[in-house]
Amino acid sequence: MAHTHSSRYAETYQASMTDRETFWLNVAKSIDWIKPPSRAFDASQGVYGRWFPDAEVNTCYNALDRHVAERGDQLAVIYDSPVTGSKSQLTYREMRDQVARLAAVIRDQGVEKGDTVLIYMPMIPEALMAMLACARLGAVHSVVFGGFASKELATRIEDAHPKLIIAASCGIEPNRVVTYKPLLDEAITLSAHKPGKVIVFQRPQAHATLIAGRDLDWVDAMAGAEKAGKSADCVPVKATDPLYVLYTSGTTGKPKGVVRDNGGHLAALAWSVPNLYDIHAGDVFWTASDVGWVVGHSYIVYGPLVNGATTVVYEGKPVGTPDPGAFWRMISEYKVKALFTAPTAFRAIKKEDPNAEHLKKYDMSQFKALFLAGERADPDTVNWAETKLGVPVIDHWWQTETGWAIAGNPLGLGPLPVKHGSPTVPMPGYDVQIVDEAGHPLPAGKMGSIVIKLPLPPGNLPTLWHADERFREGYLETFPGFYNTSDAGFVDEDGYLFIMGRTDDIINVAGHRLSTGGMEEVLASHPDVAECAVIGIKDALKGEQPCGFVVLKAGVDRPHADIENEIVKLVRDKIGPVAAFKLAITVHRLPKTRSGKILRGTMKKIADHDPWTMPATIDDPAVLDEITTALKEKGIA
Ligand code: COA
Ligand code: AMP
């Protein structure tokens, strides 16, 4: 393993801090601008300033067109789908041609620069095409993850106001076909905003019924465009124009529309792909996530393509499709240089194949590094992966809001020594600090709120979609002059960051970010429920799993088990299967402080078997015994 002195990290980070302008203008040189930036940052624009304020660019051009001359026959996208038994590959030229044609189809539906398009598709190359076609026209895409239910989809349609929706007829989970079209039709019915048109990509596993006058068949529309010789050119946009909106769980049920701009995003990807992931033009980079998440946006779609690499679209799971050797099969078959996934995927593999027997079947000689993010990478899992794979295992920490790593170990600059449990050090442009509740800096080793001094670097959200005030209130007000990450942790003596958990109601289930507040809203909507509390409790596989406590209304005398089952179903129907909500527990009362605040933290400690002390402000200590008993009855505490 390389040592600190052989890494160019320290000087690189320092350069980004001392001369922001020069640093990012240098990075910007690897982007093909229509109008190059004359300056990097303008503090007077936007909520906290804007990046590359006078530049013009097109993201699709940078992801596809500019590579065609030099690497037109190189693969841009490799698709491998064990759940359907299919595989396909597209070169940069093929991808550019398909995307230009799709962009023409979209344009013919009235979509122009600045319009929004919602995309509801599984892990198929057409999802990438849809995103890139929007980028080509300067339209703003908003991808919704397939594991969300109609109501969540409806909220996003209502907030994003899409002129057009692009969907697939279905997604495929190992145990079922998820028919997207009925979910989408219901969401459109629920939403006050209605899209003008819907383009549907029909998959053989479930044929969707199209609504005459509104719905178009993808294949027909593309064939029509091809026959008419139609294709759309890249439309110049301002670097500060939005490329996409991605909704993420907020502190209430209403999701936050994280905005990504074109120029800053390109700069962040142009820096991070080579310098953090050590991926360069011609390399194969596989991110095993989903296009519905930020990780998918940055490192399945835009990051690899902007940098001329080959990306892998995997429609499958780490285990069960067909076995825990699936990842090794992919890596050897496609000569993957680096894999990026969530720790939960490795916990799943480790559980089914603890000795990594499946690994013996595959040639992994091209494989150089494993990157983990999305949740805390527990040292056990990191250790297992390092030992079995014999490559660096790199934890890195980021959020939907930031769009790329806040902290990581920059392999491309020469790796720093790994410390298990730490995502290593801040990336360029991130001035990360640990503060107490009053915003005072804390010394090394002391746990506090993790904040980032403004401005946030390029690629980070400039604001929330049509909600500057919500952005200010949610992120910038608690610690003036700083962005509040809502993560807690500490920095050690060597400047290594340790991320210990969230300071808000967000929990992390199988690398998926969920709001317990949002789940509580659903529980409270059950007619028999008087009061409720949802907490995330430790789970060996998924990191955390949600657990809901309900107090029933007086006079309700139906069997508790029936009500609990209804509640589980309600969360699945309202939020979606991705919430993985399987545990509802009826109790007589909830533990509260004398002022009426529910003691969720103490409940969590009891459920997690962590040491806990009786809160001094508790109203009635006996309630905690009742909670312990209720958890024991469910086999938990
Ligand atoms: N569309 C529809 N449903 C989906 C879905 C999708 N795209 N993705 C997941 N679901 C469903 C699952 O089928 C499951 O449904 P079930 O309750 O009927 O079993 C439910 O949502 C919960 O999904 P998840 O928590 O992911 O569990 P899982 O059993 O599908 O997979 C692992 C669990 C352990 C294999 C997990 O390691 C994994 O790979 N998770 C994904 C990690 C990831 O990509 N995170 C993104 C951030 S980098
Ligand atoms: P998301 O916006 O879905 O990417 O989720 C972001 C949140 O996931 C962060 O705020 C953290 O709480 C958590 N997270 C992401 N990466 C890591 C990591 N490497 N270590 C610990 N927590 C992480």
Side-chain angles (χ1 to χ4, degrees), residues 59-386:
T59 294
C60 181
Y61 181 84
N62 278 274
L64 298 176
D65 302 60
R66 68 161 166 169
H67 301 305
V68 172
E70 214 182 309
R71 53 186 72 251
D73 297 324
Q74 181 198 305
L75 291 183
V77 178
I78 293 171
Y79 168 61
D80 189 299
S81 168
V83 291
T84 60
S86 50
K87 298 176 183 182
S88 66
Q89 307 189 331
L90 287 129
T91 64
Y92 267 98
R93 183 173 295 104
E94 288 165 339
M95 196 66 187
R96 193 266 323 262
D97 293 347
Q98 294 282 322
V99 168
R101 189 170 302 145
L102 180 62
V105 168
I106 295 176
R107 190 182 53 196
D108 282 352
Q109 300 314 311
V111 173
E112 293 170 23
K113 175 156 111 179
D115 288 338
T116 49
V117 175
L118 188 133
I119 298 172
Y120 190 48
M121 299 180 98
M123 284 295 288
I124 53 177
E126 286 75 12
L128 282 69
M129 291 175 194
M131 294 164 78
L132 289 157
C134 291
R136 195 169 189 87
L137 298 174
V140 183
H141 63 68
S142 189
V143 183
V144 179
F145 178 65
F148 284 120
S150 292
K151 193 172 161 282
E152 288 288 322
L153 185 53
T155 319
R156 287 155 173 79
I157 295 173
E158 219 157 74
D159 198 73
H161 276 243
K163 201 174 226 180
L164 171 77
I165 294 181
I166 308 178
S169 59
C170 65
I172 290 123
E173 284 298 288
N175 57 355
R176 67 191 188 282
V177 171
V178 183
T179 47
Y180 280 14
K181 189 56 172 24
L183 290 172
L184 176 61
D185 287 339
E186 197 197 331
I188 295 174
T189 309
L190 288 172
S191 163
H193 170 84
K194 313 287 177 197
K197 295 278 177 191
V198 177
I199 298 177
V200 181
F201 181 75
Q202 298 279 18
R203 305 188 75 191
Q205 294 77 11
H207 200 84
T209 313
L210 303 188
I211 296 177
R214 189 196 73 185
D215 300 350
L216 277 84
D217 180 286
W218 171 301
V219 173
D220 290 351
M222 288 289 272
E226 186 177 10
K227 212 163 150 220
K230 284 186 184 173
S231 81
D233 289 335
C234 295
V235 174
V237 298
K238 285 197 282 198
T240 51
D241 280 341
L243 169 68
Y244 70 76
V245 185
L246 179 59
Y247 288 88
T248 189
S249 300
T251 25
T252 64
K254 191 172 157 25
K256 297 168 172 170
V258 169
V259 176
R260 193 83 56 219
D261 62 14
N262 279 275
H265 179 241
L266 282 167
L269 300 176
W271 190 87
S272 61
V273 171
N275 294 304
L276 172 54
Y277 300 98
D278 199 18
I279 290 291
H280 307 272
D283 289 341
V284 182
F285 188 18
W286 175 27
T287 297
S289 176
D290 190 287
V291 288
W293 308 119
V294 69
V295 171
H297 280 64
S298 294
Y299 299 110
I300 294 172
V301 187
Y302 292 109
L305 297 179
V306 164
N307 288 280
T310 299
T311 189
V312 180
V313 175
Y314 175 66
E315 192 180 27
K317 303 271 172 179
V319 295
T321 58
D323 57 40
F327 275 21
W328 324 141
R329 196 262 305 163
M330 290 286 295
I331 290 170
S332 68
E333 187 167 339
Y334 302 115
K335 300 191 166 43
V336 170
K337 185 178 174 193
L339 166 67
F340 174 3
T341 191
T344 193
F346 266 73
R347 287 198 296 269
I349 297 169
K350 179 173 134 209
K351 190 175 165 204
E352 287 204 8
D353 184 14
N355 298 321
E357 296 293 340
H358 284 268
L359 199 51
K360 295 180 187 144
K361 290 187 260 174
Y362 301 101
D363 172 9
M364 303 276 287
S365 55
Q366 309 277 333
F367 186 52
K368 299 292 177 232
L370 169 66
F371 291 86
L372 299 174
E375 56 173 328
R376 184 174 154 76
D378 52 292
D380 271 0
T381 305
V382 175
N383 196 26
W384 185 85
E386 270 175 1

Side-chain angles (χ1 to χ4, degrees), residues 40-55:
F41 186 69
D42 180 355
S44 72
Q45 287 192 34
V47 179
Y48 64 85
R50 297 302 305 262
W51 290 97
F52 310 113
D54 63 0

